[in-house]
Coordinates of all heavy atoms in Angstrom, one line a residue:
L188 N 8.3 -2.5 20.9 CA 9.4 -2.1 21.7 C 9.8 -3.1 22.7 O 11.0 -3.4 22.9 CB 9.2 -0.7 22.3 CG 9.0 0.5 21.4 CD1 8.7 1.7 22.1 CD2 10.1 0.6 20.4
N189 N 8.8 -3.7 23.4 CA 9.0 -4.7 24.4 C 9.5 -6.0 23.7 O 10.4 -6.7 24.3 CB 7.7 -5.0 25.2 CG 7.3 -3.8 26.1 OD1 8.2 -3.0 26.5 ND2 6.1 -3.7 26.4
H190 N 9.0 -6.3 22.5 CA 9.5 -7.5 21.8 C 11.0 -7.3 21.5 O 11.8 -8.3 21.7 CB 8.7 -7.7 20.5 CG 9.4 -8.5 19.5 ND1 9.4 -9.9 19.6 CD2 10.2 -8.2 18.4 CE1 10.1 -10.4 18.6 NE2 10.5 -9.4 17.9
M191 N 11.4 -6.2 21.0 CA 12.8 -6.0 20.6 C 13.7 -6.0 21.9 O 14.9 -6.5 21.8 CB 13.0 -4.7 19.9 CG 12.4 -4.7 18.5 SD 12.9 -3.3 17.4 CE 12.2 -1.9 18.3
A192 N 13.2 -5.5 23.0 CA 14.0 -5.5 24.2 C 14.1 -6.9 24.8 O 15.2 -7.4 25.3 CB 13.4 -4.6 25.3
R193 N 13.0 -7.7 24.7 CA 13.0 -9.0 25.3 C 13.7 -10.1 24.4 O 14.4 -10.9 24.9 CB 11.5 -9.4 25.6 CG 11.4 -10.8 26.3 CD 9.9 -11.1 26.6 NE 9.1 -11.1 25.4 CZ 8.2 -10.2 25.0 NH1 8.1 -9.1 25.8 NH2 7.6 -10.2 23.9
E194 N 13.4 -10.1 23.2 CA 13.8 -11.1 22.3 C 15.2 -10.8 21.7 O 16.0 -11.7 21.3 CB 12.8 -11.3 21.1 CG 11.4 -11.8 21.6 CD 11.5 -13.1 22.4 OE1 12.3 -13.9 22.0 OE2 10.6 -13.3 23.2
H195 N 15.5 -9.5 21.5 CA 16.8 -9.2 20.8 C 17.7 -8.3 21.6 O 18.7 -7.8 21.1 CB 16.4 -8.4 19.5 CG 15.5 -9.2 18.6 ND1 15.8 -10.3 17.9 CD2 14.2 -9.0 18.3 CE1 14.8 -10.8 17.2 NE2 13.8 -9.9 17.4
A196 N 17.4 -8.1 22.9 CA 18.2 -7.3 23.8 C 18.5 -5.9 23.2 O 19.6 -5.4 23.4 CB 19.5 -8.0 24.1
F197 N 17.5 -5.4 22.5 CA 17.7 -4.0 21.9 C 16.7 -3.1 22.7 O 15.5 -3.2 22.4 CB 17.4 -4.0 20.4 CG 17.5 -2.7 19.8 CD1 18.8 -2.1 19.6 CD2 16.4 -2.0 19.4 CE1 18.9 -0.9 19.0 CE2 16.5 -0.8 18.8 CZ 17.8 -0.2 18.6
N198 N 17.2 -2.3 23.5 CA 16.3 -1.4 24.4 C 16.6 0.0 24.1 O 17.7 0.5 24.4 CB 16.6 -1.8 25.9 CG 15.6 -1.1 26.8 OD1 14.7 -0.4 26.3 ND2 15.7 -1.3 28.1
I199 N 15.7 0.7 23.6 CA 15.8 2.2 23.3 C 15.1 3.0 24.4 O 15.1 4.2 24.3 CB 15.3 2.6 22.0 CG1 13.8 2.2 21.8 CG2 16.1 1.9 20.9 CD1 13.2 2.7 20.5

Side-chain angles (χ1 to χ4, degrees):
L188 297 181
N189 291 334
H190 161 80
M191 291 193 295
R193 183 177 60 253
E194 300 297 333
H195 306 289
F197 180 72
N198 188 1
I199 58 176

